[in-house]
């Protein structure tokens, strides 16, 4: 083998995608020291997305002082790729870890995320990728919009910055003050879920409990998002209530579409496009991808399937190395996956398996390379 592409997702709770690439490369190099090994770490838009893009493509990290989840001052960052594309992970300004012990989703804001968008756009970035994931918010992206110049007014005409518990006070929305540099930028939102904004499968009912909301607060947050959607439809002419992905990150998916004119796009599709995968895969002998667990959720177009579909078009075989294999994943083979291997070498609970995951990944890759090398040596 002369050219191998590594493009795994992270193994949640154990290894980052960059770590997975490093371990895979080490195992491959012991059998194919002359091979060209191209590593493309993948992140889903949440924590680690900026580092993954910078690791894959190069660029620089920019530090920015912004407002945190409760309007406190905090240090944040975003990345700028060599082509001047900005990469922002909302978790860097509105992530659950930033909420600390006091998790008050009704009061949390995405204002800092908007500040990152404005900083990137005003710095000359004409394309901005915003990754959704790991948020502690439920404000429908209104905080981010306010930071970018969009004005929300209550019934008395007074402007304010809505949070999850005050979305119900929005009476009108004025987008006339949107920062010009932001309005000119192409903004792509990485969004790997298709939940609607409201209802039993919406942002509040599905995700708010893990952000500290009790049953009563969940109901309030859901009703408030519905109210926000009604005002958005009235004033902006955009219907986000049932938009697939609108419920991502506390309704930030809907807010990105409504306030920033952003396209919601699967994370792996964004990664493949930005990294130029379709050109890179040409002439490759093998693509190795993977994730912590492949299951029916994976088959909806996440990393393994997204990679396999593109590689299939180029006629390049794909092997998936995963932590665990769920039931009913046979469809993966028709999508372009040639083989799936689990790194779980012994039957132990996850808490024990995660401690040995790096060694198990290396040994699994070593086993695969050993097998391929043996076939080659026997002319098969």
């Amino acid at each position: 083998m002369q050219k191998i592409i590594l493009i795994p997702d992270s193994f949640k709770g154990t290894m980052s995608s960059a770590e997975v690439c490093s371990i895979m490369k080490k195992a491959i190099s012991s059998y194919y020291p002359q091979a060209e090994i191209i590593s493309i770490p993948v992140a889903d838009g949440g924590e680690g997305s900026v580092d993954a893009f910078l690791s894959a493509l190069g660029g620089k990290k920019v530090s920015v002082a912004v407002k945190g989840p409760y309007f406190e001052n905090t240090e944040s960052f975003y990345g700028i790729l060599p082509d001047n594309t900005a990469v922002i992970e909302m978790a860097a300004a509105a992530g659950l870890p930033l909420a600390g012990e006091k998790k008050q989703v009704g009061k949390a804001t995405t204002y800092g995320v908007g500040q990152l968008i404005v900083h990137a756009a005003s710095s000359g970035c004409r394309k901005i990728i915003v990754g959704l994931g790991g948020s502690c918010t439920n404000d429908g992206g209104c905080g981010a919009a306010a930071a970018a110049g969009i004005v929300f007014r209550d019934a008395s005409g007074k402007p304010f910055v809505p949070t999850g518990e005050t979305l119900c006070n929005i009476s009108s929305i004025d987008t006339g003050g949107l920062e010009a540099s932001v309005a000119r930028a192409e903004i792509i939102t990485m969004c790997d879920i298709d939940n609607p904004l409201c209802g039993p499968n919406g942002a509040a009912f599905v995700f708010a409990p893990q952000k500290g909301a009790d049953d009563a607060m969940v109901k309030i947050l859901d009703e408030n998002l519905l109210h926000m959607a009604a005002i958005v439809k009235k004033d902006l002419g955009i219907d986000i209530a049932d938009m697939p992905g609108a419920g991502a990150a506390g309704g930030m998916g809907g807010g990105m579409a409504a306030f920033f004119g952003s396209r919601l796009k699967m994370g792996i599709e964004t990664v493949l496009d930005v990294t130029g995968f379709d050109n890179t895969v040409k002439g490759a002998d093998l693509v190795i991808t993977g994730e912590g667990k492949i299951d029916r959720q994976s088959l909806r177009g996440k990393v393994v399937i997204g990679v396999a579909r593109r590689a299939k078009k180029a006629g390049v075989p794909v092997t998936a190395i995963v932590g665990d294999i769920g039931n009913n994943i046979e469809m993966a083979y028709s999508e372009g996956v040639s083989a799936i291997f689990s790194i779980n070498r012994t039957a132990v609970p996850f808490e024990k398996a995660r401690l040995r995951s790096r060694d198990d990944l290396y040994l699994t890759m070593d086993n695969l390379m050993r097998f391929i090398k043996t076939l080659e040596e026997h002319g098969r």
Side-chain angles (χ1 to χ4, degrees):
M1 291 194 295
Q2 300 299 314
K3 181 179 179 181
I4 302 169
I5 299 174
L6 309 178
I7 182 166
D9 198 354
S10 61
F11 283 37
K12 296 293 190 295
T14 55
M15 297 172 282
S16 69
S17 52
E19 283 183 281
V20 175
C21 284
S22 178
I23 294 169
M24 287 180 168
K25 183 175 182 178
K26 182 181 177 182
I28 295 168
S29 295
S30 64
Y31 290 91
Y32 297 95
Q34 305 304 319
E36 179 187 8
I37 302 173
I38 301 172
S39 296
I40 307 175
V42 175
D44 60 6
E47 189 174 356
S49 295
V50 169
D51 287 338
F53 272 103
L54 294 178
S55 176
L57 297 170
K60 64 180 180 179
K61 187 178 284 189
V62 179
S63 297
V64 187
V66 301
K67 295 298 182 183
Y70 303 117
F71 295 96
E72 76 281 14
N73 295 326
T74 188
E75 282 296 319
S76 189
F77 62 88
Y78 65 93
I80 299 181
L81 304 180
D83 68 351
N84 216 36
T85 294
V87 180
I88 294 169
E89 56 186 62
M90 72 170 298
L96 199 55
L98 297 179
E101 296 297 318
K102 63 178 184 177
K103 294 179 186 174
Q104 299 180 67
V105 62
K107 300 182 184 302
T109 183
T110 56
Y111 195 90
V113 183
Q115 290 178 298
L116 292 175
I117 293 173
V118 170
H119 192 281
S122 61
S123 297
C125 296
R126 300 299 295 272
K127 183 176 182 179
I128 301 173
I129 297 170
V130 179
L132 305 189
S135 80
C136 64
T137 57
N138 207 93
D139 71 348
C142 289
I150 291 176
V151 179
F152 299 86
R153 291 189 171 88
D154 61 19
S156 66
K158 181 180 179 180
F160 74 110
V161 180
T163 63
E165 65 184 15
T166 61
L167 292 174
C168 56
N169 296 330
I170 301 173
S171 180
S172 67
I173 303 172
D174 181 0
T175 61
L178 180 65
E179 289 280 344
S181 59
V182 174
R184 288 194 300 268
E186 176 190 6
I187 301 178
I188 298 171
T189 301
M190 293 174 65
C191 175
D192 272 1
I193 64 172
D194 57 7
N195 299 70
L197 188 68
C198 312
N201 295 314
F205 278 98
V206 176
F207 303 109
Q210 69 196 42
K211 304 175 185 181
D214 57 20
D215 291 346
M217 177 56 69
V218 165
K219 186 177 179 181
I220 290 171
L221 294 174
D222 185 67
E223 291 173 348
N224 287 359
L225 284 173
L226 187 61
H227 172 82
M228 180 199 82
I231 303 300
V232 165
K233 187 174 182 179
K234 173 179 72 73
D235 288 358
L236 309 184
I238 302 171
D239 190 353
I240 61 172
D242 297 313
M243 178 187 293
M252 184 80 169
M256 291 303 298
F259 307 131
F260 296 93
S262 178
R263 289 182 291 136
L264 305 186
K265 195 172 180 181
M266 291 293 287
I268 186 57
E269 295 299 323
T270 303
V271 170
L272 294 173
D273 288 344
V274 172
T275 59
F277 179 83
D278 291 346
N279 285 323
T280 303
V281 76
K282 292 176 182 177
D285 297 295
L286 178 65
V287 172
I288 302 177
T289 184
E291 57 188 58
K293 181 178 181 178
I294 186 168
D295 53 21
R296 296 189 68 180
Q297 182 79 4
S298 308
L299 303 182
R300 295 168 67 179
K302 293 201 172 184
V303 174
V304 170
I305 299 303
V307 169
R309 287 171 178 167
R310 296 283 190 100
K312 184 179 181 180
K313 292 178 181 178
V316 179
V318 173
T319 295
I321 307 295
V322 302
D324 196 14
I325 302 174
N327 294 320
N328 304 313
I329 51 85
E330 290 74 18
M331 190 189 84
Y333 301 115
S334 63
E335 294 284 6
V337 179
S338 300
I340 303 172
F341 298 98
S342 170
I343 68 171
N344 289 333
R345 300 170 66 85
T346 58
V348 295
F350 173 72
E351 285 307 313
K352 290 185 178 180
R354 66 189 294 272
L355 300 177
R356 50 179 290 163
S357 60
R358 290 166 180 80
D359 288 338
D360 283 347
L361 172 60
Y362 179 84
L363 291 170
T364 301
M365 284 296 302
D366 179 82
N367 216 26
L368 175 61
M369 291 301 108
R370 184 188 302 273
F371 176 65
I372 293 174
K373 189 72 171 180
T374 300
L375 288 180
E376 289 183 346
E377 289 173 350
H378 285 77
R380 299 182 183 179

